[in-house]
Amino acid sequence: FHFCIQTVLVIVFIIALIIILTAALALGIRYSLTYLIIKGARFIEALEAGFNLLVKNWLVSLESGIIIFILNFLLSSIILMFISALTIPFIFLMFVFYKLALAWGMTITLTAGVLILFILVALAGGLLAAFNDAFWMAVWLKIVKDKQTSWLGSIFQPAK
């Protein structure tokens, strides 16, 4: 396949634009839903207020998004390592039952291991989802009270 550099750049630009627009839409809807639930606003009013809040505080929202992305990555990695470490006893038991030629032991171990793994993954996903919701609720409560200065914005503002 032969692609010219302009084609690749256009494709990268389009993908980046889609990601940015999707993130902005998702965050605007999140802010709108929070207005709907917390303030009891009507649907259209909540949509307008949510997207206006996002436009007014886009840099704070971007920084918060980067922070939560990094935190989610770190927490997910820690959880994955923890769950992976918990599989070691099951792997050892499977090996023992295999060497003893006990098929029922392997079946029970495999079934219990998969069930425990499923429960742990579901629990970890629920905890991460609750953490995300609490984080964005805290951000919303901060920026709805008064306009927050972003960390990046404060770096590039002249000293007063």
Side-chain angles (χ1 to χ4, degrees):
F1 295 94
H2 185 277
F3 289 105
C4 65
I5 191 73
Q6 290 88 2
T7 306
V8 172
L9 289 176
V10 167
I11 291 171
V12 168
F13 176 76
I14 290 172
I15 291 172
L17 189 63
I18 289 171
I19 290 171
I20 291 168
L21 290 175
T22 303
L25 182 66
L27 200 50
I29 290 172
R30 179 180 287 272
Y31 287 164
S32 298
L33 285 173
T34 306
Y35 267 111
L36 195 71
I37 294 168
I38 300 296
K39 299 277 186 177
R42 299 185 77 114
F43 180 71
I44 300 298
E45 294 168 359
L47 275 177
E48 289 174 1
F51 280 96
N52 285 337
L53 188 66
L54 177 62
V55 169
K56 289 178 186 172
N57 297 285
W58 71 272
L59 195 52
V60 173
S61 298
L62 176 68
E63 290 173 351
S64 299
I66 291 169
I67 290 169
I68 195 68
F69 177 78
I70 292 169
L71 284 173
N72 273 332
F73 181 78
L74 292 174
L75 289 173
S76 297
S77 298
I78 291 168
I79 289 169
L80 181 65
M81 285 189 288
F82 176 71
I83 290 175
S84 296
L86 288 178
T87 62
I88 293 171
F90 291 100
I91 293 170
F92 177 72
L93 276 174
M94 291 285 290
F95 176 74
V96 168
F97 287 131
Y98 175 75
K99 285 296 181 184
L100 295 174
L102 296 173
W104 61 269
M106 287 179 59
T107 304
I108 291 172
T109 304
L110 185 61
T111 304
V114 168
L115 185 63
I116 290 171
L117 184 65
F118 177 77
I119 291 169
L120 288 175
V121 168
L123 183 64
L127 289 173
L128 283 174
F131 174 71
N132 277 313
D133 287 343
F135 179 86
W136 284 112
M137 178 61 71
V139 169
W140 184 86
L141 288 171
K142 280 275 206 192
I143 63 178
V144 82
K145 188 167 36 168
D146 51 75
K147 182 154 176 50
Q148 300 293 312
T149 43
S150 69
W151 180 74
L152 283 174
S154 65
I155 288 176
F156 295 112
Q157 283 182 345
K160 293 181 182 179

